[in-house]
Amino acid sequence: MYEQPELFKSIRQAIYDSFPSRADALFSLLDSLSGRQKAQSIVELSLETLFERQYSSVYDAIACFFTASDSNEASQERQEKALERVEILLPALPKPEKRPFWLTGIDATPALRPYAKTLSDRGITHYPNPAPGNKPIGVGHSYSVLALLPEREEHSPPWVVPLNCMRIPTQQTANKIAAAQMTGLLSDTDLPFGLELTVNTADSGYSKAYYLSPVYQFDNHVEVQRVAKNRVFFRIAPPPEPHPGHGGRTKRFGEAFDLKDESTWGESDEEAETDWETCTGRKLQVKLQRWNDLLMHGKQDAPMCECPFDLIRCQVFDQQGKAVFKNTLWLIVVGKRRHEVSTHAAYKAYRQRYDLEHLFRFGKNKLLLDRYQTPEVEREENWWELVFLAYTQLWLASPLCAVLPKPWERNLPEWKEGRLPGPGQVQRDYERIIRVVGTPVCEPKPRGNSPGRQKGTSPGKRLRHPVIFKSRAPPEVVAQG
């Protein structure tokens, strides 16, 4: 990271210049969101000190953040705009020093809207439910988020840098949306991720052919993913013996490697051990085993027979040699340069994937990520991108943050040791930082009252959209009134 505010100012100016319209209102909203202190709803952001306009400008700014020129190409245009913002952030992205690769992570998070009957394309999404016996599901949208995971010290704040956020339509899957995000990032020649070794981490939901097959085509990309404990993989079949006059397809899959059946594993190709000290000071030992060059079954339009991978078994023991976790962690390392990612580096990279959970929690608790109530899908997508851009501003401002502990926080270790401040600490000091650094926003100019809606006109009632269940065809949209 940098220590001088000039780069922070230049990036803010570039973001301001990238807004197509209502740039002043948009940037004021962005700053008020980054420095939010008391607002409990979207409209209350107009009461924050950094927002000097009327409350109606909040919704105008969100609507003007992105407008597609072609509704059929809206998703592609939105992704291109997101990549342009990543290029703006490129001078501030920390290059990897301790590890020989860039590290990214991808995951999905729900946006529950169970009562928004006028919001289209709502479906059943995964949502943990603490009530015993209830299914972990909810009604609303899901969003796929791709983020850079910078290098950090052990137990330091879990900062990430959001790179791309896309809504997952009900007619598509999280794997296909994630594949589009990753291939778009790797295909951009103005960014280093497709030109240098890049490792992406993901949970077991992404260890499927529809995601792995497209991203395997990039020579400098490697995936480290968790896999379910009941998966069955295969060793590469040995070359067939020559038989003159006999044709047919060459056998590709050899003996089965069943994760539930230890007798099918055989000897591992590599073993390693490492120590792990938790944030509470508990010392643990991690045992790693690696099997090279395995295969998984694919699909007709997503073949995996030419995509070998390595498998890693991770076990954690305490000082008495007792297993800490009930289930074993299985990881796969997929990519043409997978052998350049050591077993220990792959395990440590996957552990850092959980920083994405901190991003989602902070976004929903402190940045009003899932509080925007709108019947327009496009504006909801605009809001999610704005929130992650506000989080990125907090990350950029973290080196400029002053330590402002509350009375009951003064004796906490993170304040005494002078660690890099976390998102909540930067948000607390963000208003002072902007007062020092400055803003490209012009002062508001009152322009009188709007003429409003003409007398006698009525927009009519909005269409009601039922919840879409993927098990059956979506029902027709009907008007009520």
Side-chain angles (χ1 to χ4, degrees), residues 143-204:
Y143 284 83
S144 178
V145 180
L146 173 63
L148 176 69
L149 307 179
E151 291 180 339
R152 65 181 183 91
E153 300 294 334
E154 195 73 21
H155 310 315
S156 61
W159 283 104
V160 304
V161 185
L163 302 177
N164 195 337
C165 173
M166 292 182 64
R167 187 178 65 87
I168 305 173
T170 54
Q171 68 271 19
Q172 297 193 37
T173 63
N175 285 328
K176 291 187 177 180
I177 294 298
Q181 290 176 285
M182 185 58 65
T183 53
L185 183 70
L186 298 175
S187 301
D188 194 333
T189 56
D190 294 328
L191 298 175
F193 306 108
L195 306 176
E196 304 174 12
L197 180 59
T198 301
V199 174
N200 181 67
T201 57
D203 207 354
S204 58

Side-chain angles (χ1 to χ4, degrees), residues 48 67 108 159 170 191 229 316 348 398 403 421 429 449 472:
E48 295 288 339
T67 303
W159 283 104
T170 54
L191 298 175
K229 61 181 179 180
V316 182
K348 193 173 181 180
S398 58
V403 177
D429 189 44
N449 296 325
R472 58 175 182 264

Side-chain angles (χ1 to χ4, degrees), residues 54-79:
Q54 299 296 324
Y55 68 89
S56 58
S57 296
V58 172
Y59 298 102
D60 288 342
I62 296 173
C64 295
F65 177 74
F66 172 79
T67 303
S69 59
D70 184 357
S71 59
N72 296 326
E73 301 294 334
S75 179
Q76 181 64 27
E77 292 182 19
R78 189 179 291 272
Q79 186 170 0

Side-chain angles (χ1 to χ4, degrees), residues 28-86:
S28 296
L29 175 61
L30 200 62
D31 280 342
S32 65
L33 184 59
S34 298
R36 168 188 171 268
Q37 298 298 320
K38 298 180 180 180
Q40 297 299 318
S41 62
I42 308 303
V43 70
E44 286 186 349
L45 289 172
S46 62
L47 302 179
E48 295 288 339
T49 308
L50 294 175
F51 195 86
E52 300 177 348
R53 285 162 170 76
Q54 299 296 324
Y55 68 89
S56 58
S57 296
V58 172
Y59 298 102
D60 288 342
I62 296 173
C64 295
F65 177 74
F66 172 79
T67 303
S69 59
D70 184 357
S71 59
N72 296 326
E73 301 294 334
S75 179
Q76 181 64 27
E77 292 182 19
R78 189 179 291 272
Q79 186 170 0
E80 292 174 358
K81 290 293 184 181
L83 292 175
E84 290 177 6
R85 289 193 291 270
V86 177

Side-chain angles (χ1 to χ4, degrees), residues 342-405:
S342 66
T343 304
H344 178 260
Y347 169 73
K348 193 173 181 180
Y350 183 79
R351 275 180 48 193
Q352 194 172 345
R353 187 201 71 85
Y354 293 99
D355 292 351
L356 287 172
E357 305 297 337
H358 295 277
L359 168 67
F360 299 149
R361 181 176 180 178
F362 183 82
K364 294 179 180 181
N365 290 346
K366 299 295 185 179
L367 296 178
L368 310 177
L369 179 61
D370 56 350
R371 303 286 184 86
Y372 187 40
Q373 305 294 317
T374 176
E376 302 291 342
V377 177
E378 295 77 11
R379 296 189 183 186
E380 184 187 87
E381 295 175 353
N382 289 354
W383 174 249
W384 274 66
E385 291 192 78
L386 265 173
V387 169
F388 288 125
L389 193 55
Y391 180 92
T392 304
Q393 280 210 128
L394 293 177
W395 171 73
L396 291 169
S398 58
L400 310 175
C401 177
V403 177
L404 299 174

